[in-house]
Amino acid sequence: ALGLIRPTRGSIHLNGYPGGDARGRVDLGFMPENPGLVPHLTPRELLAGGAQSRGRDRRPAQAEADELLERLGLADAARQPLDQHSKGMAQRVALGFALAGGPRFLILDEPLTGLDPLWRHRVNELLAGFRAEGGTIVFSSHILSDVERLADRVAIFHGGRVVREARPTDLLAEQLSGYA
């Protein structure tokens, strides 16, 4: 979907375009586990650049970046280079970059890593709001409470294949049935 690796088999389409076609990715936000953001740029520059990469003009992109920075609790640090931020702040910048430009589909890898309990809660609320507005999120996590809170459906992969798919509550009930 992201064009980072070539599939060995199968296919994917995004917005009616084959997975390798950049036009299908315009509506997609991506946040890897280790984002690798440019350390000398500021959060405001990164988020405005993310919005511009999705077709926003310069001024609306900057306004959107400022709004996202406010929602992510980063407004006071918006003009400091990223290498001056904590891991949790950098994680929120990476999430803001994924959200910049208004994608309708997010792919997030361990989106809550490095966040303190308050920001874990706030980011969960932000993502729940994204879903409530019609957005779709595909995310990976090893933290079951995050999965229970955010996911409608869970897919368990082993060896590159889906070995189980269900609602989180159904999977939990199956696991707990042996203890009743």
Side-chain angles (χ1 to χ4, degrees), residues 31-120:
M31 179 182 156
E33 182 176 6
N34 299 307
L37 300 171
V38 182
H40 68 274
L41 294 179
T42 68
R44 188 170 193 261
E45 290 169 330
L46 286 163
L47 271 56
Q52 285 179 285
S53 73
R54 289 204 180 88
R56 299 275 199 270
D57 288 332
R58 185 175 168 272
R59 286 184 193 251
Q62 289 176 338
E64 181 178 344
D66 291 338
E67 190 269 330
L68 276 170
L69 290 163
E70 186 70 40
R71 289 175 62 196
L72 292 165
L74 297 165
D76 291 341
R79 296 181 192 279
Q80 297 171 352
L82 194 60
D83 60 5
Q84 295 179 16
H85 293 77
S86 69
K87 165 73 172 153
M89 292 172 83
Q91 191 76 352
R92 287 183 275 151
V93 171
L95 179 61
F97 186 81
L99 290 165
R104 300 309 313 144
F105 188 79
L106 293 176
I107 297 176
L108 310 174
D109 188 5
E110 299 286 353
L112 303 174
T113 298
L115 299 180
D116 63 37
L118 173 65
W119 277 103
R120 288 178 75 81

Side-chain angles (χ1 to χ4, degrees), residues 145-166:
S145 61
D146 294 339
V147 174
E148 288 178 288
R149 192 172 7 270
L150 288 173
D152 293 334
R153 307 281 303 163
V154 175
I156 299 173
F157 289 84
H158 180 71
R161 295 191 180 282
V162 175
V163 295
R164 182 77 169 90
E165 182 182 350

